[in-house]
């Protein structure tokens, strides 16, 4: 079993005690259907080295393999969707790096097991880029990065086959979303300010691109 504590100092300063596999699985089983939905969005605001996120990814990829394992392009597209919908924040940079590396390793192993020598490096490059944008170092209480900038998450939507649309949102804007979805009648009565609270506005929109070329965005 992996160690649950790295050091006494980290426990004292950051409350860092990792959750063991049995508990991770028991908790994820409470939302089992969501963990097996390829495009279901998960955001963990204190993700550590990714105990929860890696298990979510494993479950999603098992579905990708089962459904699309016979078609390489479909497998690659849905692997992209599975990873693109997983988000994490941690205040400690080494945890963030370990988490990204761990998720990357899970994708790479699954992909290589399925397609062996036919694996395309550009698919793995896109996955690396997704993880660099979705798993971020910052403070989930102040919603800022360690430089004091707002934490920004991209939303990735696969549209028109292999094309991807990216829109960036601040973490703060995402959390301001009203928990109650408006009815159509209510929409007529809501002014623009109210609307902004219900539907967060992206701070940046990007032109559509192939899922294999997202790394060219910046
Ligand atoms: C109890 S551990 C849980 C880690 C992981 N979720 C797990 O279950 O294994 C808490 C994590 O939160 C991080 N953390 C502490 N304060 C934080 C904050 N303000 N914002 C983001 N992460 C924070 C710590 O670095 C640590 O990795």
């Amino acid at each position: 079993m992996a160690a649950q504590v790295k050091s006494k100092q980290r426990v004292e300063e950051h409350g860092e005690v990792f959750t063991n596999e049995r508990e991770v699985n028991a908790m994820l089983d409470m939302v089992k259907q969501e963990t097996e939905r390829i495009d279901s969005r998960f955001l963990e605001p204190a993700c550590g080295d990714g105990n929860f996120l890696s298990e979510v990814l494993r479950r999603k990829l098992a579905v990708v393999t089962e459904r699309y394992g016979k078609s390489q392009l479909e497998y690659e597209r849905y692997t992209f969707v599975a990873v693109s919908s997983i988000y994490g924040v941690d205040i400690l940079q080494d945890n963030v790096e370990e988490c990204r590396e761990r998720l990357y390793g899970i994708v790479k192993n699954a992909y290589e097991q399925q397609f062996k020598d036919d694996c395309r490096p550009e698919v793995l490059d896109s996955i690396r880029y997704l993880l660099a944008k979705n798993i971020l170092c910052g403070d989930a209480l102040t919603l800022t990065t360690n430089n004091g900038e707002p934490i920004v998450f991209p939303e990735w939507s696969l549209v028109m086959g292999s094309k991807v649309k990216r829109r960036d949102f601040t973490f703060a804007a995402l959390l301001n979303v009203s928990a109650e979805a408006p009815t159509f009648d209510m929409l007529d009565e809501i002014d623009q300010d109210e609307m902004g609270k219900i539907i967060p506005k992206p701070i940046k929109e990007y032109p559509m691109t192939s899922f294999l070329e997202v790394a060219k965005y910046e």
Side-chain angles (χ1 to χ4, degrees):
M1 194 167 73
Q4 286 186 264
V5 168
K6 280 185 180 171
S7 74
K8 195 165 166 251
Q9 190 187 0
R10 288 169 70 110
V11 176
E12 282 167 7
E13 290 177 5
H14 300 289
E16 186 191 68
V17 179
F18 297 113
T19 310
N20 72 35
E21 203 180 321
R22 198 186 54 180
E23 262 111 42
V24 167
N25 275 304
M27 287 168 78
L28 291 180
D29 284 346
M30 294 167 86
V31 289
K32 190 166 185 294
Q33 250 186 322
E34 287 303 311
T35 63
E36 291 170 352
R37 193 157 66 78
I38 298 167
D39 61 350
S40 181
R41 289 199 175 96
F42 280 80
L43 190 161
E44 221 214 311
C47 66
D49 63 356
N51 286 325
F52 282 91
L53 298 182
S54 57
E55 184 52 32
V56 169
L57 180 59
R58 253 188 226 107
R59 290 178 182 209
K60 284 174 171 227
L61 290 184
V63 177
V64 172
T65 304
E66 188 189 305
R67 281 198 204 144
Y68 305 109
K70 293 207 168 69
S71 155
Q72 184 162 347
L73 181 59
E74 290 290 279
Y75 178 97
E76 291 166 348
R77 273 195 206 125
Y78 284 99
T79 293
F80 181 95
V81 172
V83 177
S84 71
S85 46
I86 289 178
Y87 298 88
V89 179
D90 201 277
I91 205 160
L92 296 174
Q93 184 66 37
D94 62 342
N95 281 343
V96 170
E97 277 157 26
E98 282 169 39
C99 181
R100 287 176 184 154
E101 215 40 59
R102 196 167 163 191
L103 299 180
Y104 178 79
I106 290 169
V107 172
K108 188 167 182 281
N109 284 346
Y111 186 37
E112 286 176 351
Q113 208 172 338
Q114 198 65 20
F115 297 105
K116 305 196 167 58
D117 295 341
D118 294 329
C119 290
R120 301 192 288 170
E122 58 270 40
V123 172
L124 293 172
D125 290 346
S126 283
I127 298 299
R128 263 219 190 280
Y129 184 79
L130 285 181
L131 292 169
K133 297 292 161 191
N134 283 19
I135 310 295
L136 299 176
C137 190
D139 187 330
L141 298 176
T142 61
L143 311 179
T144 56
T145 65
N146 293 353
N147 304 329
E149 302 284 327
I151 295 174
V152 172
F153 286 118
E155 172 202 65
W156 308 96
S157 315
L158 199 62
V159 280
M160 299 188 344
S162 295
K163 294 277 184 199
V164 173
K165 175 86 188 147
R166 171 179 171 184
R167 303 190 306 158
D168 287 355
F169 295 85
T170 64
F171 192 9
L174 295 173
L175 293 179
N176 270 341
V177 174
S178 160
E180 214 175 301
T183 63
F184 279 113
D185 294 349
M186 282 160 72
L187 285 178
D188 284 342
E189 293 157 22
I190 295 170
D191 65 23
Q192 285 304 307
D193 279 358
E194 282 298 306
M195 191 65 94
K197 285 183 205 149
I198 293 164
I199 303 168
K201 286 201 191 77
I203 55 162
K204 188 164 176 185
E205 298 203 34
Y206 296 75
M208 267 196 277
T209 189
S210 158
F211 78 102
L212 296 173
E213 297 197 336
V214 287
K216 292 188 183 157
Y217 268 143
E218 278 163 14

